[in-house]
Every structure is written in structure tokens, then in C-alpha cells.
Amino acid sequence: MSRRSATRIATGFGMWFLLAALLVWSLGPVAVVLFTSFKGSSEIYSANAHLLPDSWTLQNYVTVFTSSNTLRALLNSLIVGLLAAIATLIFCFSAGYALARFRFRSSRPLALFLLLGQVVPLTVVLLPLYQIIRSLNLLDSVVGVAMAHLVITVPLVTWMMRNQIAAVPIELEEAAQIDGGNRLDAVTYITLPVIFPGLVAAGMFAFLQSWHEFLFASVLTSSTAARTGPVALTEFATEFNVDWGATMAASVVLTVPVIILFVLLQRHFIGGLTGGAVKG
Amino acid sequence: MAVLPRTAAFIAATTAVILAMAGTVTYNIANNSSNADAVTWWVPDWDYDTAKKLVTAFEKENSGATVNLVKTTGDTVANRTSVALNSGDVPDVITESTSRIKGYARKGQLTDLSGQYGPATPKSDFAPGLVESLTDQGKTYAVPYRWATNALIYNPDLFEAAGIDSPPRTWAEFEEDAKRLTKGNVVGTAWPMQGDPSDLTLRLLDFAISDGSTIKNGAPELTEPSVKNALDLIGGSIRAGWASPSSFELDNTAIHELFLQGRVAMYQGGVFDVDDAVTHKAPIATAELPGPNASSVGTAQGSGWAYIVPAKAQHKDAAEKLVAFLGKPANMAALTLTFPARLSAFKDAKFQTELREPYVRQLTDHSTPAPDDPRWTATIPGVHNETQKVGLGQRSSSAAAKNIVAQADKALGR
């Protein structure tokens, strides 16, 4: 075996080992959540803990489906996530287009200023946001939570959209306008289809940010009618103990829809994340 | 120029979404459906079902009164209450942890409820020091309704098997018994070193205040020797092997589960754990906390929940009437699984079991309210960290005690 072949095999082995380690690192906690959800409480706290249950039980899922508000919370999370994603795309595409296509004196500082929204801790904006949502009479409503989540999603998605749109040559839009279309036609027939993977990625990003957000949702909601998944998980913690089995089962129930969504859209998601990466 | 189909669809979809959002906001602003005359009471989910029954009784007793119950959870109540009080958009009554009430009161966010106390509700009927702990500059800002301390929970079967005929009464006996009990899969005791840092700090402080440290005006006054002795007990026990080395991975729930499995022989726990062990038919007995020497019983910190009325509550009179109703001994007894805050409510049969007797003695004779000064609360992670280091053998008890006392004194401005 030549030295080059040996090096190649060693490199390949190292790469696979690294990938395997990363896989275990990232999926390990998910596996613990999944298998713990099928364990009884005595086994969860067993001194000789095993990953797989010794005796499998569906009791935790029975608790989740019959004695909790998890399903309602799941529905609320879906509605809030979709509302947040749709509103984010509308606002951020418009803002991103303006920042990418229109040259005005403060366009770049303005774009950078938007990113400041990402570095401000959520607790700082919690109180003013609460007062805004209250003044709109949207406390304890899914619409109110979705609007609050725009604070998290809009800054970064606007930046993502700006870069996606800037990567599309302006000449393509100009060609559409030469052919008789107006600017809006150029956007709908040229720009939107070209950046579609980016839109999907941005929409998924907004959806996921909304899906797992806890702080705003916990403060802005007070009833099961509007409570989202992460807040509903706290219902399994009483004053003195935590029902970890039911918490894990509810986590699985709340996670599966997102995994399915991600698998269905992952092609667009990966394409969208890399789109616009080389030209901004 | 004609609008192309895709452009028209894009404009229509965008307009529809924006109009829907604007319409929802406008509709909500125009139609405030809340019952403006109802008293709103934020109640934790574990009290909700009983609270509903009490509200029905209150509404029956006070014709025309309406109470709107809003459920909170243990993990969300602090944030929600804080935001509500800061924003001024408040309910009329909130069930809050006693540990946070002084902080709100010092910001002027609570109604003075001193008028709730009198011949029908004497302050002396409450657990020792409890009403005082909710009083600031002569005004009492809350009516406590449930109160609890830890006591010693032990497995009588394991004690018998180890030839121990009674629970430990001193720290020396506690250590000696734990060493005898540690055998095979069983450890003498365990500490909640994982999870909420305040759980471990509570135990450390229980030992320290049993041995010379004190709590004044909601803030601990720590002495180095007492903290060192407390650290020796907790950290030293892990290093010596008579407390579970897995303490670093255990929270309160996990220790209780290991006790149910017969793997932890004794621990400091609340009465809720006792009820759960009885439900699981696990062997269990209880005793007061051991003290530093034969002449003293260990002191336990009490903590609990109380009713507060925000300063900006819209229906203060009705809210105070509701609080007075809830403050009756029978209603306090109904609304707690631990112990009521009023001693006269202890007469209820559910508090008179054999397993609860040591808790009653602990609570009435050997307890003090847990510190609630926000400046102390801010030091808890540091205290937890030092205690863990002693357990890991990375810090001596003396050095850690010195650091803890210094941190506390600095935070409390001494």
C-alpha cells in the first residue's frame, strides 16, 4: 500500500470518526429524551441507569394525552410558529429588498443597526413588549405571542433576505422591466423564484425560533387557550417534584412535528443557508 | 398597464395577511371581553382545583362578587408577577412565594395588608416569625396560607437491618448512622447538588443556623465556624463516602426516588415526599432534624406561599375581602398539602398523622423563615458553587466557609 493511500485511508477514518462523534454528541440527548419517555419513574432514577428501558411503558404518553394540555399547546405552537413565520417573511422580504436594491445614504448603517436587535437580551425588551401587546389587547392570545416573536425573528431574517436578494443580479430584474413588466413583476417573476430556497430557510428559521421560545410565551399567556409547547412542559413540574417521564414524553410529542417539517424541507433549508453567501 | 397574474396573486396574498393582522388587532382593541367587575386571582396550577371550589363558596357568601381564576405554573409565576407589577397591568390577587414578596414590597408595588390581621386573624396564630418576615417598615404586605419546613425522612427497615433503633438526634449520630447504613447499593444520605442551587443552599443554611448563624430581617448573618461545620457535613460526607457520590447528579426529586427504591437511607425532605412515599407503600418514618449536639434540635427554614394584592389592583376592596376569606383556618387547610400558615388550622385531621408529628414540632418549635433579602438570593449560586467544590475536594471547608461569609457580607453591604 502506497503512503498516499495509507494517508487517504487514515484521513477518511479520522473524518468518519469525527462525524460519528458529532452524531453521538448531537443525537445523544435526543436519544435520552426518547428512551426516557418509555421508562417508569423508578427506572428513570435507577442507580444503574441504562439508555434503553428494561421494561417499556406507554404510561408517560397516556399521562401526556389524557391528563395534560400538551395537544392544545402543540396546536398553539403550530399556529404561533406559522403566524410568526408568515409575518416575518412578509416584513423581512420587503425590508431586505429595500436594503438590497435601493441606495440611500444610511442603507448600510441601517442594515447593521437592525442586527443590534439580535444582541439585546430578551429580558430587556420583555417589559416594553408586554406593554405593547397589552395595549393592543392581545395578551393571552396566539396572535399576541406571534407578534412578540417577531422581535426575535425580524432582525436576522431581514439581514438574511437582504443578502439573498443582493446575490440576485439586478440585470435580471432590469431585463424583466425591459420586457414590459414593472418592478413588482420583476420581483414576483424573477427575484422570488430565484431566492425561493432562501425564503424557505428564513421561514423555517423564524418558525423554529418561535417554536422553542419560552420567556415571552410564559409571560404573555395565562391560559391553555394560548399557552405554547415550551410553557406547557412546565405543567409537569409541581411545587415539589418533576414528572420527568411525562416531561420527556411531552417533549417527544412536541418535537416530532418539527422533525417531520425539517426532513420535508431540509433541501431548501440547506440551499437557503448557503445562498447569497458569496455575494453580499 | 395590466397586472400580471403572479404579481396580482402576490399582492392579494400579502394584502390579505396584512389586513388579517390589522383586523385582529383592531377587533381585539375594540372588543375587550374581560369581565371588568371580576376580581382576578392568579393561582398556581397545583392549587387550581381547590381554589375553584373556594371561589364558588366565596361567591355564594358574597352575592354579586365574581372571581376570575387565572392559572400560573411554578416555573412561570415569578416572571409573570414581576412583569405584571412593573407594567402596572396587574391582577387583584396573586398567590406568590413568600421569598419574593419583600422585593416587591420595597419597590412599593404591593398593597399594605396590615388590616387583615386582628382579633379574628391574630399574628400570633401564624408560624414563628412568619408574619414578621412579610413585614417591612411596620407594614405587612401579604397573608401567608401555606408553610413548610424540611424534617428528617428515614427508612425504618434499613435502620433495623443496620441495628439502629432510633433516628439520629445529633450530627455525630447522623454521621455514625449514615456510615453504618452505607453498604452495598445503599448510602446513608444524599444531597441535592444538581438542579436549583437554592435546594442545596437551604440544607447548608439549615445546618449553619442550627450552629450559630442567624437570620435577621430576611438576611443571614453567617459565622465562619458554623458554615465550616455545615460544609464538613455536606462536602465531607461525600468525600468520606457516607453520602452518595452521585449527589452531584441528584435533585430533590431524584433523591426522593432513590429513597423509594431503598437506596438512600435518610435525607432532609418535605412532607410532600412523605405523602408520596405512603402512596407508594415505601417504608418510611420521620423525625426532627438532628442538631449539632445532644441539647439542641436542628433548625429548619420555613418557606411557603402567600396572597398579595398589587398596589395597582383595580378591585382592592373586593380583593382584600377575598384574601380575608381565604385566610380563614379552614380555607387555609383546604388549600395546602403541606401545612397551613396558621397554627389553628393544624387541627384539621389531615395534618394530625403520626408521620406529620415531627414536622409539626419542627415547624412550630424549631423553624425560622428562610431568608428573603434579594441581595442574599443573588449570592446563592456562589454559595452553591463553594459547597460543590468542598464536595469535589477542590476546596477545604475552612477556605470555602471564608469565601461564603465574605460573599454574603459583601452582597449584604456589611
Side-chain angles (χ1 to χ4, degrees), chain A residues 122-135 139-140 148 213-221, chain B residues 42 72 75-91 94 96 100 104 107 109-110 308 310 312:
Chain A
L122 293 184
T123 45
V124 173
V125 296
L126 179 59
L127 184 58
L129 190 64
Y130 179 88
Q131 288 175 316
I132 291 169
I133 299 294
R134 181 188 60 152
S135 65
L139 286 177
D140 200 27
E213 197 281 328
F214 175 78
L215 181 65
F216 291 168
S218 69
V219 171
L220 298 174
T221 61
Chain B
W42 283 6
T72 59
D75 288 341
T76 60
V77 66
N79 254 338
R80 289 193 60 203
T81 303
S82 170
V83 170
L85 292 174
N86 286 327
S87 72
D89 179 40
V90 289
I94 305 175
E96 238 304 19
R100 292 188 282 264
Y104 304 140
K107 289 185 195 167
Q109 294 173 326
L110 302 182
I308 54 174
K312 292 185 179 171

Side-chain angles (χ1 to χ4, degrees), chain B residues 190-195 244 246-252 254-255 258 264:
Chain B
W191 310 104
M193 291 194 145
Q194 198 246 13
S244 174
S246 65
S247 290
F248 295 103
E249 298 159 14
L250 302 177
D251 59 6
N252 283 341
I255 292 175
L258 291 176
V264 169

